[in-house]
Amino acid sequence: MIDNRTRYNFSDFSINLFYVLGIVVLSIAVRILSLEYIEIGGDSLAAWENVVNLVNNGCYIEWTHHTIRWAINLPLYLMLKAFGTASANYYILPIFYSAISAVLVFYVGSVLKNRRFGFLSALLLILYPKMTTMGSQLWPGLYEMTYLLGCVLALLYWRKNGLWQLLAIAGVLAGCAWGSRVTSIYYGPGILALLYIGKKRVSPILIFSIFFLAVVALEWGCFYNITGNVLGKFSIILRNHVSQGQLLVTPGEYLLNFLDLVKLRGLLIVFLAGFAVSIWFIRRGDDNEKCLSVLFLGGLFFSVYMLCSLHPLKLAAPVGSRYLTAGTPYLIMILLLGLRKWRGSSPRAAKFFKYGLIIAFAAFTLKEVPSQNTFSRLQEDLQNGRIIAEEKIPVLMRYTTWSPNIIEQGVMSLFGYDKQGRLKINEDRKMLKNARRMSIMIFSKQTDENYKPENINGYYYFYSGNKDDLAKATRVGISDFDRKGHKLRIISKKLLPQELLKGASIK
């Protein structure tokens, strides 16, 4: 006799497996299609350089707020030990974590409502415009988001099934989120809401806290052994990040810091809608909807108003979509839950906005797809790099800044924020970062702390060679780059501006 419960459970597992495989394949395909070149903002380049050096030479180049993120660097180290330090392997970890995060969102959505809701949530996360960057880089937001999603999923299953082991798993994963970026603490109120709302017991909070603090204590012990400072990793953060003079604000600027949300550009309207729906859920939603709202609102509030210093007054981080990534899954699900509520009174309008959201996210993702696939671009750069090294061809660098699209320009103009794209002059810092990127990704060289690229005329800098080499050469290498893009070409020297060859300066 066939047990119907067993048949149902097997069928349910098969359907979930079908969804999961579809999500993984779709996530990997979209990430590869929209893959970006390694960016030079700091997080990605510093992590890659240091972990490559750890694999090759057994130590970091330096201890900074980038290298203390063990929950990113440890998986990266293990991956590089397994597959090697070839430049293309840079993309394995972000693509993998992107797929895992999409699967976790599917299960979170399935627990909240059903598989269809979970799949739609995962689809929107895959198509979320900033995932083109997150799924290409070693930015900490992606890893913080993935660990936090695992924590939230474990807590939702605990709220449903009541197993203390789920609290332990959630605590450990929260510790990993902390290990990927300390800003994960912004989501503490949301975690507390999941532990307490609807339960109103202290024991779950204690169990969760024991396992979370165990991870934190182990981390502290490791960094105390490294630094000899009782502050552990915070001694490194205070020395390398908080001590920098950036992000200082007056009291008035601090109170008005929410105006910097305009930097979200095309995503601003999505965040404003999520904010409005979250406030409504706090008042009238069910327990899970309230918890999701606290997760999103807590992350948003602290991202805008968290301080790292009172004297002088200094923000912990600038406002920007990259700093809000960990809260993105909850923003997406809150919007979808709000549309479900709206469907009862205005089904056509709710359907219009739901598909409008999908189309808008897909359009912005397609917009970010490079004209040449990044894997192909990287291979061409590596090939040109080999020719340049063999023939000792001088290499020049020039930087082009970001330019807003028509929608972004419209939103920015509405708020009086103007930034036009143009070729930048005297970009010493960006030239240095691009030189570091080329060294590690194309020429496989270790970072030279004393290296400084030579400024030729304000627009062009030498990566390698000098004016004498340029005068003798018939061909030159040209590194055209911006923060996320790069192209290394070998061209005839005759194609360079004549003013450059004559040594004229740019005024």
Side-chain angles (χ1 to χ4, degrees):
M1 184 175 179
I2 298 175
D3 189 335
N4 289 330
R5 291 176 300 175
T6 303
R7 183 169 59 186
Y8 171 78
N9 289 337
F10 179 76
S11 175
D12 190 55
F13 173 79
S14 299
I15 293 172
N16 278 347
L17 183 61
F18 173 78
Y19 273 107
V20 168
L21 288 175
I23 289 168
V24 169
V25 171
L26 179 63
S27 177
I28 293 174
V30 173
R31 297 285 71 83
I32 291 176
L33 183 68
S34 61
L35 208 61
E36 296 177 352
Y37 215 94
I38 175 176
E39 57 95 28
I40 58 172
D43 292 320
S44 302
L45 185 61
W48 179 254
E49 283 180 317
N50 278 279
V51 176
V52 166
N53 200 71
L54 181 63
V55 172
N56 292 334
N57 302 312
C59 64
Y60 282 146
I61 299 170
E62 58 183 346
W63 280 102
T64 68
H65 61 287
H66 303 301
T67 50
I68 62 172
R69 293 167 179 154
W70 56 267
I72 302 172
N73 294 338
L74 180 57
L76 180 60
Y77 172 80
L78 295 174
M79 185 272 294
L80 293 182
K81 289 292 286 186
F83 299 106
T85 59
S87 299
N89 291 344
Y90 170 86
Y91 296 104
I92 295 176
L93 204 67
I95 291 174
F96 175 75
Y97 270 74
S98 297
I100 294 298
S101 64
V103 171
L104 290 172
V105 167
F106 164 73
Y107 278 107
V108 169
S110 298
V111 174
L112 289 172
K113 293 300 176 183
N114 52 47
R115 285 190 294 263
R116 185 176 179 182
F117 180 85
F119 179 78
L120 186 56
S121 300
L123 175 63
L124 282 173
L125 181 64
I126 291 170
L127 297 177
Y128 180 68
K130 291 307 294 183
M131 283 300 294
T132 57
T133 297
M134 291 295 165
S136 304
Q137 309 294 348
L138 294 173
W139 278 8
L142 171 64
Y143 310 93
E144 178 189 17
M145 177 180 74
T146 306
Y147 293 126
L148 190 62
L149 274 170
C151 171
V152 169
L153 179 61
L155 290 177
L156 286 172
Y157 274 128
W158 165 77
R159 290 173 65 85
K160 186 176 181 179
N161 302 314
L163 299 174
W164 73 266
Q165 290 89 342
L166 292 169
L167 294 172
I169 293 171
V172 171
L173 288 172
C176 291
W178 168 264
S180 60
R181 191 161 66 177
V182 296
T183 55
S184 63
I185 201 69
Y186 297 174
Y187 299 90
I191 298 298
L192 185 61
L194 284 164
L195 289 165
Y196 190 76
I197 291 179
K199 302 296 181 181
K200 296 184 178 180
R201 290 185 287 126
V202 176
S203 57
I205 299 175
L206 292 175
I207 295 172
F208 171 89
S209 299
I210 287 171
F211 285 90
F212 170 71
L213 292 174
V215 175
V216 173
L218 181 61
E219 175 197 84
W220 176 86
C222 291
F223 281 105
Y224 176 73
N225 184 58
I226 292 168
T227 64
N229 192 309
V230 294
L231 292 177
K233 72 178 183 181
F234 282 99
S235 63
I236 298 172
I237 295 175
L238 290 169
R239 184 180 71 242
N240 292 283
H241 182 59
V242 177
S243 62
Q244 297 174 4
Q246 302 168 350
L247 302 177
L248 294 173
V249 291
T250 65
E253 289 171 335
Y254 173 69
L255 292 175
L256 294 176
N257 197 46
F258 70 92
L259 295 176
D260 272 0
L261 288 171
V262 70
K263 293 178 181 178
L264 298 177
R265 303 194 294 270
L267 289 172
L268 178 60
I269 191 171
V270 178
F271 274 81
L272 292 177
F275 178 83
V277 176
S278 297
I279 295 297
W280 190 87
F281 278 151
I282 292 292
R283 297 181 60 191
R284 299 190 179 185
D286 62 31
D287 288 346
N288 285 337
E289 289 166 347
K290 289 179 181 177
C291 292
L292 284 187
S293 298
V294 175
L295 275 165
F296 171 66
L297 292 175
L300 181 62
F301 174 81
F302 288 115
S303 293
V304 174
Y305 285 110
M306 177 61 77
L307 294 169
C308 65
S309 171
L310 292 174
H311 301 287
L313 202 62
K314 182 179 179 181
L315 295 169
V319 174
S321 53
R322 64 181 292 179
Y323 302 100
L324 296 167
T325 309
T328 297
Y330 317 111
L331 167 64
I332 288 171
M333 287 184 280
I334 284 166
L335 290 173
L336 292 178
L337 288 169
L339 289 172
R340 285 172 66 94
K341 301 281 187 182
W342 196 14
R343 189 173 60 189
S345 57
S346 303
R348 289 186 178 179
K351 188 175 183 179
F352 172 81
F353 280 100
K354 180 179 74 174
Y355 287 106
L357 193 62
I358 296 172
I359 292 170
F361 278 17
F364 275 104
T365 296
L366 285 173
K367 169 191 165 294
E368 296 299 324
V369 174
S371 57
Q372 180 180 6
N373 182 265
T374 295
F375 278 127
S376 172
R377 179 68 260 156
L378 180 60
Q379 291 307 310
E380 287 189 21
D381 285 354
L382 289 168
Q383 177 61 29
N384 288 333
R386 283 190 286 269
I387 295 172
I388 286 168
E390 290 171 0
E391 300 182 16
K392 295 181 173 56
I393 298 173
V395 178
L396 306 181
M397 300 183 292
R398 61 185 177 187
Y399 170 73
T400 303
T401 191
W402 167 82
S403 181
N405 60 42
I406 187 169
I407 296 176
E408 293 168 336
Q409 185 62 53
V411 173
M412 292 161 66
S413 298
L414 183 65
F415 287 87
Y417 186 86
D418 186 33
K419 184 176 182 181
Q420 298 291 338
R422 64 181 180 86
L423 195 64
K424 286 269 189 164
I425 186 170
N426 294 326
E427 287 285 353
D428 293 21
R429 190 163 177 266
K430 290 185 175 66
M431 292 291 176
L432 177 58
K433 287 187 174 183
N434 183 58
R436 287 174 54 198
R437 172 169 63 181
M438 292 175 66
S439 293
I440 189 69
M441 295 295 288
I442 299 175
F443 297 102
S444 301
K445 294 181 180 179
Q446 186 172 329
T447 298
D448 179 1
E449 295 181 0
N450 298 316
Y451 171 82
K452 184 178 180 181
E454 180 185 348
N455 186 341
I456 304 176
N457 67 350
Y459 290 128
Y460 287 81
Y461 286 62
F462 278 111
Y463 165 74
S464 62
N466 53 43
K467 292 180 180 179
D468 290 337
D469 297 325
L470 182 61
K472 298 174 185 176
T474 58
R475 296 194 299 169
V476 296
I478 290 288
S479 168
D480 278 317
F481 75 98
D482 55 29
R483 186 173 61 82
K484 296 184 294 184
H486 184 269
K487 181 180 291 186
L488 178 62
R489 298 174 296 133
I490 301 174
I491 65 172
S492 169
K493 186 176 71 173
K494 296 179 181 179
L495 297 177
L496 291 174
Q498 292 302 304
E499 296 82 1
L500 179 70
L501 299 178
K502 293 174 183 178
S505 61
I506 302 294
K507 297 182 180 179

